[in-house]
Amino acid sequence: MAIRVGILGYGNLGKGVECAVKHNPDMELKAVFTRRNPDSLSILTEGAKVFRAEEALSMKDEIDVMILCGGSATDLPAQTPEMAAHFNVIDSFDTHANIPRHFEAVDKAAKESGHVGIISVGWDPGMFSLNRLYANAILPGGSDYTFWGKGVSQGHSDAIRRIKGVKDARQYTIPVEAALTAVRSGKAPELTTRDKHTRECFVVAEEGADLKAIEEAIVTMPNYFADYDTTVHFISQEELMRDHAGIPHGGFVIRTGSTGWNDENGHVIEYSLKLDSNPEFTASVIVAYARAAYRLSREGQSGCRTVFDIAPAYLSPADGAELRKHLL
Ligand code: NDP
């Protein structure tokens, strides 16, 4: 029988999960739950239905894993522990500093209810975290680097939209090629924030707005732009829709280090992602971990996990013999 999946929250990530489930024949989308009017959403999966979020509990016996697709800022800190009291759950919580607190809350709820929760699944946190861990364990005396982009930063785009006179905006984070080259050389350079990334902004201004003032407000904005070399381009709404509608992202996790009695041999470990669609890729990672949650739960395990705690074979639909034959 297929693993029966529920989706709570139908934004970019929720839609991505629906697509990812389609590509995994051992999974089946049972239902989508939303805080909005269910009739206002049209989903793509035949046979699945949209329900109000409050109706989720009445479908406890029909869903093996609930995938939480709300936002990290306010949705997931409440929704994941709430749902872990009734379902096996997965989320993509990405506020790095608050992961330990979120873990505690989900762990408590999941242990009490006898379910499994896997949190902070995606690419960062997620696949990037795993690659940082592997590289750290292998080269203990080395140096770590993470570069993001080129990609759209939703948070930075939102920050620009809040400036007076701005109608719409898209912000790209771009790694500095010279910094990447220096890191890959194995010389372990010390890099400042400004050395590593630049920021490029495409802004649609309201008619008659003071463009100079908008640009100044962007490039001097503390925490978001002031520490970076930032360029601002003013474009029309049509150009924004035509050229900047996608949600690409990606980046690089690199660790350099050395081995040998006198550290005579250098090594570079690099993992990179180039994603046309950040939410669809994140969703694909989540769905693989949903399989793991289901299996762990069937084994009688409970409590919260992160990507660090899940053995890789649990992610694959193939069994151990097949994996040993084809992928080892
Ligand atoms: P969205 O803003 O698209 O969706 C978040 C929630 O908002 C949805 O679940 C939905 O809930 C609600 N929503 C969506 N569209 C509308 C709308 N038109 N009107 C009103 N409400 C709406 O966020 P994303 O799906 O892009 O991202 C979700 C989270 O994923 C992010 O906050 C981020 O933390 C995380 N993420 C993690 C990554 C990782 O690598 N770990 C990578 C990328 C993202 P409802 O249906 O209930 O209304």
Side-chain angles (χ1 to χ4, degrees), residues 9-10 12-13 34-36 69 71-72 92 94 123-125 278 282:
Y10 197 66
N12 297 315
L13 190 60
T34 180
R35 293 161 296 183
R36 287 167 285 164
C69 298
S72 288
S92 68
D94 69 355
W123 60 280
D124 198 0
N278 177 0
T282 303

Side-chain angles (χ1 to χ4, degrees), residues 139-163:
L139 296 176
S143 306
D144 274 322
Y145 300 88
T146 301
F147 292 86
W148 294 275
K150 180 182 180 177
V152 173
S153 163
Q154 217 61 56
H156 287 77
S157 304
D158 288 344
I160 300 172
R161 280 189 214 105
R162 285 195 290 269
I163 295 171

Side-chain angles (χ1 to χ4, degrees), residues 7-16 32-37 41 50 53 68-76 79 91-96 119-129 154 247 249 275 278-283 285-286:
I7 294 174
L8 175 59
Y10 197 66
N12 297 315
L13 190 60
K15 289 175 189 159
V32 171
F33 301 93
T34 180
R35 293 161 296 183
R36 287 167 285 164
N37 174 6
L41 304 186
V50 187
L68 302 181
C69 298
S72 288
T74 53
D75 296 341
L76 299 177
Q79 286 178 336
D91 77 20
S92 68
F93 185 73
D94 69 355
T95 313
H96 290 256
I119 61 158
S120 301
V121 179
W123 60 280
D124 198 0
M127 299 311 295
F128 273 17
S129 326
Q154 217 61 56
I247 319 177
H249 221 315
L275 314 174
N278 177 0
E280 287 178 13
F281 181 81
T282 303
V285 181
I286 289 177

Side-chain angles (χ1 to χ4, degrees), residues 34-70:
T34 180
R35 293 161 296 183
R36 287 167 285 164
N37 174 6
D39 297 332
S40 69
L41 304 186
S42 53
I43 62 170
L44 302 169
T45 310
E46 263 177 51
K49 275 189 166 170
V50 187
F51 297 96
R52 287 184 300 114
E54 306 83 71
E55 293 176 270
L57 298 198
S58 67
M59 293 186 65
K60 268 203 253 193
D61 299 334
E62 294 167 66
I63 288 169
D64 296 311
V65 186
M66 184 68 89
I67 301 185
L68 302 181
C69 298

